[in-house]
Amino acid sequence: MSQLAPQLRANLESARAQTDELFALLDPAALYERPVPERHRLIFYLGHVEAFDWNLFSQHALGRGPLHATLDKLFAFGIDPEPGRAPADTPSDWPTEKEVQNYAARVRNELDSALDGVPGHLLHVAIEHRLMHAETLAYLFHNLPYESKRGPAPAAPIERSLQNTWIEVEPGAAALGKPRNNGFGWDNEFDLHFVPVPAFQISRYKITNGEYLDYVRSGAQPPHFWVDRNGKWFLRAMFGEIPLPLDWPVYVTHSEASAYAQWRGASLPTEAQFHRASERSLPVNANFERWDPIAVDAGHNGGTSHREPAQMIGNGWEWTSTVFGPFPGFERFSFYPGYSADFFDGKHFVMKGASPRTAACFLRQSFRNWFRPDYPYVYAGFRLVNNP
Ligand SMILES: [Fe+2]
């Protein structure tokens, strides 16, 4: 076996540090909480990010048996149940924190001495899998009571609203996916292909809390992240409540975004339209820089160009109208066959871009994310398109 690239070893270390730092924010008692009904208790994730690596490397590279037969299996996979089918386990169904910490330490120890026997693409899978959880854990932690977690107080918003405008996008071919043998990508990112897209208009900015507030005042339900305090709207930021920042992107479900678009007489962009509109975009507010959003016109391409939509990559994922499905030439990974294929069920929608808690490696254009249309916990907003 060839010597593993030192860069990948360092990336695995820094991904581990990222998840370790996250768990260090928690009051230990919160580990047995289930802040989101459709997901496991937090203790699961402490074991899962390690068991995933062990199962992947031991079975698909190292030819090793179980490290701990019960825990390898208990922590193997997360869940994404149908609405109304939330799990019903109790805290006592799970091992103690000490047992899980010991298991985690053993996994890291065993794997670190064997990493040279692991091919690079499996290392990429482990690193990116862990970093995806660094983001999805932030969604879960977001729903814990503030006294269960420690972190920086959110920035106080500046009272301002701002005018969204339309950007014209020329007709052209959207490049979706990525070519094989050109860097790591997940199974659903292949193959590279081109989709013709007629001219359309897209919102310059993500739809803001201020814009969405008009809709709520007309009778729509408020988003999950808002809370009414004596007739005034507040945002439930990660580490505290703040008066609703009107110039920040609104985070909503796919269903809410679609209904808002309809209310405005517009549509959500397709995945191909998103690609056309984001071809020249640079990341803004991503890679763990902050816990919360910033104004939709902040950052290097926020307020300068009147011809480019702002913040297509960062400051919140964006919903598309595209149902998650395979690209032409899709092949599942033999070592992780369900990663995408389990979700090609017509019940998940593609999200593009990135959130403040999305790691740098996912800022590549071909990366695709997907969620159920009514799952309200993700850092996802949207913008509108006008189709001629
Ligand atoms: Fe996972």
Side-chain angles (χ1 to χ4, degrees):
M1 281 289 173
S2 62
Q3 195 73 12
L4 190 72
Q7 187 60 53
L8 280 179
R9 209 177 255 275
N11 291 353
L12 178 63
E13 275 310 307
S14 85
R16 284 174 176 170
Q18 195 67 45
T19 48
D20 289 349
E21 281 169 34
L22 265 173
F23 281 107
L25 300 171
L26 292 186
D27 172 355
L31 269 181
Y32 288 83
E33 294 295 320
R34 185 203 305 287
V36 164
E38 299 92 337
R39 293 292 183 267
H40 276 311
R41 293 175 191 281
L42 298 176
I43 186 74
F44 165 81
Y45 298 93
L46 190 64
H48 172 62
V49 285
E50 312 302 335
F52 180 90
D53 293 1
W54 176 262
N55 292 334
L56 181 70
F57 295 171
S58 67
Q59 291 167 24
H60 300 282
L62 304 173
R64 301 268 302 267
L67 186 67
H68 186 304
T70 312
L71 298 187
D72 292 352
K73 192 157 174 263
L74 179 69
F75 292 127
F77 293 107
I79 48 171
D80 174 38
E82 295 277 353
R85 306 276 304 270
D89 54 86
T90 63
S92 61
D93 295 331
W94 295 91
T96 64
E97 182 187 356
K98 185 101 183 84
E99 286 174 289
V100 182
Q101 295 284 16
N102 287 344
Y103 172 74
R106 274 187 68 204
V107 168
R108 291 186 187 188
N109 229 350
E110 291 285 332
L111 290 183
D112 285 352
S113 58
L115 277 189
D116 285 336
V118 177
H121 68 280
L122 291 187
L123 250 293
H124 275 288
V125 165
I127 292 163
E128 294 204 359
H129 170 262
R130 184 179 288 264
L131 290 171
M132 283 177 203
H133 278 293
E135 174 161 4
T136 55
L137 276 167
Y139 304 156
L140 302 189
F141 288 13
H142 206 113
N143 293 284
L144 286 170
Y146 290 123
E147 56 273 20
S148 298
K149 55 190 172 180
R150 280 180 308 267
I158 299 159
E159 187 81 26
R160 72 188 273 255
S161 55
L162 109 172
Q163 187 62 41
N164 215 334
T165 54
W166 296 104
I167 301 282
E168 308 286 335
V169 181
E170 302 285 310
L176 272 71
K178 64 182 288 163
R180 293 193 189 269
N181 303 316
N182 184 26
F184 176 76
W186 291 89
D187 55 1
N188 66 63
E189 293 174 62
F190 301 104
D191 284 341
L192 174 68
H193 62 290
F194 295 88
V195 175
V197 180
F200 63 100
Q201 293 181 319
I202 191 163
S203 321
R204 181 173 177 202
Y205 303 121
K206 294 181 206 284
I207 299 304
T208 62
N209 287 319
E211 288 174 289
Y212 205 84
L213 183 59
D214 291 338
Y215 179 51
V216 170
R217 284 180 174 148
S218 84
Q221 286 296 308
H224 172 73
F225 289 89
W226 295 14
V227 60
D228 182 337
R229 299 282 179 221
N230 301 316
K232 200 170 179 325
W233 288 110
F234 281 72
L235 184 77
R236 297 187 311 103
M238 181 61 157
F239 295 111
E241 282 179 17
I242 51 174
L244 189 68
L246 298 179
D247 59 355
W248 288 13
V250 66
Y251 289 166
V252 291
T253 65
H254 186 273
S255 300
E256 289 166 333
S258 305
Y260 177 89
Q262 201 171 24
W263 182 71
R264 290 276 308 269
S267 307
L268 296 183
T270 63
E271 187 175 10
Q273 285 177 322
F274 185 95
H275 273 261
R276 283 290 296 153
S278 62
E279 277 166 5
R280 285 178 290 276
S281 300
L282 296 170
V284 179
N285 192 18
N287 197 29
F288 313 116
E289 275 172 48
R290 293 180 186 78
W291 291 97
D292 294 307
I294 54 176
V296 295
D297 61 342
H300 43 79
N301 69 342
T304 50
S305 167
H306 289 258
R307 287 191 298 272
E308 303 285 333
Q311 296 181 355
M312 296 293 289
I313 315 289
N315 206 26
W317 292 94
E318 296 192 18
W319 288 112
T320 73
S321 60
T322 300
V323 173
F324 184 53
F327 285 160
F330 170 82
E331 284 171 33
R332 57 181 82 196
F333 286 159
S334 59
F335 49 83
Y336 194 175
Y339 172 70
S340 302
D342 284 358
F343 302 91
F344 294 157
D345 56 4
K347 295 174 180 168
H348 293 78
F349 287 87
V350 174
M351 286 178 354
K352 293 292 291 182
S355 92
R357 306 304 299 175
T358 305
C361 55
F362 303 121
L363 305 181
R364 57 181 183 262
Q365 264 230 320
S366 57
F367 187 75
R368 307 168 80 203
N369 203 343
W370 64 92
F371 275 92
R372 291 183 184 274
D374 294 308
Y375 188 72
Y377 309 104
V378 294
Y379 299 150
F382 66 107
R383 65 185 88 207
L384 302 179
V385 297
N386 274 325
N387 295 306

